[in-house]
Amino acid sequence: MPEQWEELLPAAVREQVDASLTRGRTIEAIKIAWDELRERGLGMREAQQFIAARYEALVPREDPDDPLDLASLADRTAGLPGRIVAIEAVWDGDTVHDWFVLLIAVLDEPAGEKCLATVYNRPGPHTEAARAREAGRALAGHLGVPFYFASPDAPDDNAPRWRDSYNGSVRVHPLDSSSHST
């Protein structure tokens, strides 16, 4: 149980763990906790679970810097270099957050991409995928560009990307086909 390990962690070490977590250094936090508690039976997997629980207590799941409302997302696209050719939702994940979805503006001339928001899972009826799809479709519609989400039904960080689809090598997901114009 993560609570058990937290009670065994000295206050000074807990402060180090918390400082690492608030700076986004989860691997460092895991190592600090594991180094301190492994002689008491803390395994690496338990250290990861403990740090994930500690992270949940310290850092809010929805980053206020990544709002999903249309006005905020549109504002984030305003200063991007180049022309936006698509809005894409892409799965990513780590040991602390598990799976999450990145909303990305795909740019052409100069070619590239810019992450506009990170959509984390949170309790409730709407998954991160559903919230990312809703926000991405709204933004794409506002900008008059296609929206692409290759794997809306299950996490897949190896799913084909929009540029692959744009080149004709990937079929568009039926749920998003009305948003595509390739």
Side-chain angles (χ1 to χ4, degrees):
M1 304 285 349
E3 300 82 25
Q4 159 197 353
W5 298 114
E6 186 171 347
E7 293 171 9
L8 294 173
L9 201 61
V13 177
R14 187 178 313 118
E15 287 176 16
Q16 290 177 338
V17 165
D18 292 353
S20 294
L21 288 174
T22 57
R23 289 192 314 263
R25 298 178 176 170
T26 57
I27 301 299
E28 179 180 277
I30 291 167
K31 182 179 181 332
I32 292 168
W34 188 62
D35 284 349
E36 182 67 29
L37 297 173
R38 70 178 161 201
E39 289 184 13
R40 293 185 173 188
L42 180 71
M44 184 54 73
R45 183 163 188 80
E46 290 88 4
Q48 291 174 342
Q49 292 169 342
F50 165 58
I51 293 302
R54 189 76 190 143
Y55 182 88
E56 291 297 318
L58 291 173
V59 182
R61 288 294 262 180
E62 284 300 326
D63 186 344
D65 293 332
D66 284 348
L68 295 178
D69 63 282
L70 179 58
S72 296
L73 291 171
D75 283 348
R76 287 177 172 246
T77 65
L80 295 179
R83 182 174 59 99
I84 297 172
V85 294
I87 300 298
E88 183 174 20
V90 176
W91 285 102
D92 201 354
D94 61 34
T95 57
V96 172
H97 300 100
D98 198 21
W99 289 104
F100 51 89
V101 179
L102 303 174
L103 273 180
I104 295 173
V106 180
L107 305 171
D108 197 16
E109 299 175 25
E113 61 187 36
K114 172 69 174 162
C115 182
L116 302 172
T118 303
V119 187
Y120 295 105
N121 192 12
R122 66 177 185 198
H126 302 292
T127 66
E128 65 274 73
R131 292 184 358 264
R133 184 171 42 225
E134 180 181 334
R137 282 181 173 166
L139 180 59
H142 173 76
L143 297 173
V145 298
F147 172 70
Y148 184 74
F149 195 168
S151 183
D153 300 321
D156 183 356
D157 57 352
N158 291 314
R161 298 292 305 268
W162 181 81
R163 288 196 190 278
D164 297 330
S165 174
Y166 180 75
N167 292 329
S169 62
V170 177
R171 275 186 57 100
V172 170
H173 190 280
L175 291 175
D176 294 327
S177 61
S178 63
S179 299
H180 286 72
S181 57
T182 55

